[in-house]
Amino acid sequence: MNVSLTQRLRSRAALVTAGLLLAVAAPTAYAAFDDAETGGAALRGDPYVETLLFFGTERPDGGPAVTDEQFMAFVDEEVTPAFPDGLTVRTSRGQWRNADGSIDKERSYELVLLYPVAAARTGDRKIEEIRRAYEKEFGQEAVGRVDDRVEVDF
């Protein structure tokens, strides 16, 4: 038999073997990954949306930074009426590249909101109103937003 034909047959056999091994091992690997992620426990809770909002405090126009009192008044007036069931505010440090290209390092706030998936459309509208209100009231270029689907149990 020709040497090059033998090499091609061996290469094909190796590829077929590797494909079969992957086909058999992949479901087991994914199952092990899922168990490791949940610790082997069943997920609890109901489907919710978790929205994180990031509020900077430095003003692009050089005005005074937003104070704790101003931010908490904003939460009381704008956020709590829209999400009366609860929320979490975290104080943090962040940085942001302004429209002019400079980077501001600033004290910031992270707001955590949880709401049922069934209320996602209404929640989205309320969150966008909150973002626009903060930008307008405190002269901000943007309020960051991250959404994720989670399982929640209270």
Side-chain angles (χ1 to χ4, degrees):
M1 190 183 301
N2 187 336
V3 175
S4 64
L5 179 61
T6 303
Q7 288 175 337
R8 280 189 277 167
L9 288 174
R10 284 185 185 160
S11 295
R12 278 191 192 161
L15 286 173
V16 169
T17 302
L20 288 172
L21 285 173
L22 285 173
V24 171
T28 305
Y30 283 116
F33 179 72
D34 289 342
D35 286 344
E37 227 177 62
T38 63
L43 294 177
R44 296 186 192 277
D46 298 314
Y48 269 64
V49 175
E50 176 184 40
T51 297
L52 307 176
L53 296 177
F54 300 93
F55 299 88
T57 57
E58 297 295 320
R59 298 182 195 232
D61 65 3
V66 178
T67 65
D68 287 339
E69 293 78 21
Q70 289 172 316
F71 184 77
M72 291 315 296
F74 177 83
V75 169
D76 291 343
E77 295 166 14
E78 297 287 338
V79 183
T80 300
F83 293 92
D85 292 339
L87 54 91
T88 299
V89 175
R90 299 179 191 147
T91 303
S92 56
R93 300 285 308 166
Q95 66 182 40
W96 166 262
R97 183 186 305 267
N98 287 315
D100 68 7
S102 65
I103 295 178
D104 285 337
K105 294 182 179 185
E106 60 188 331
R107 182 177 45 83
S108 59
Y109 298 97
E110 181 181 345
L111 178 68
V112 182
L113 299 169
L114 296 168
Y115 46 97
V117 167
R121 182 174 299 221
T122 303
D124 177 68
R125 181 185 47 76
K126 291 176 183 179
I127 288 166
E128 289 307 301
E129 289 171 2
I130 290 165
R131 293 174 74 198
R132 299 296 86 78
Y134 189 82
E135 290 167 2
K136 183 178 178 184
E137 185 170 340
F138 298 108
Q140 298 293 301
E141 291 179 4
V143 171
R145 177 178 178 171
V146 176
D147 294 299
D148 199 9
R149 187 174 170 144
V150 295
E151 301 294 320
V152 175
D153 185 29
F154 292 103

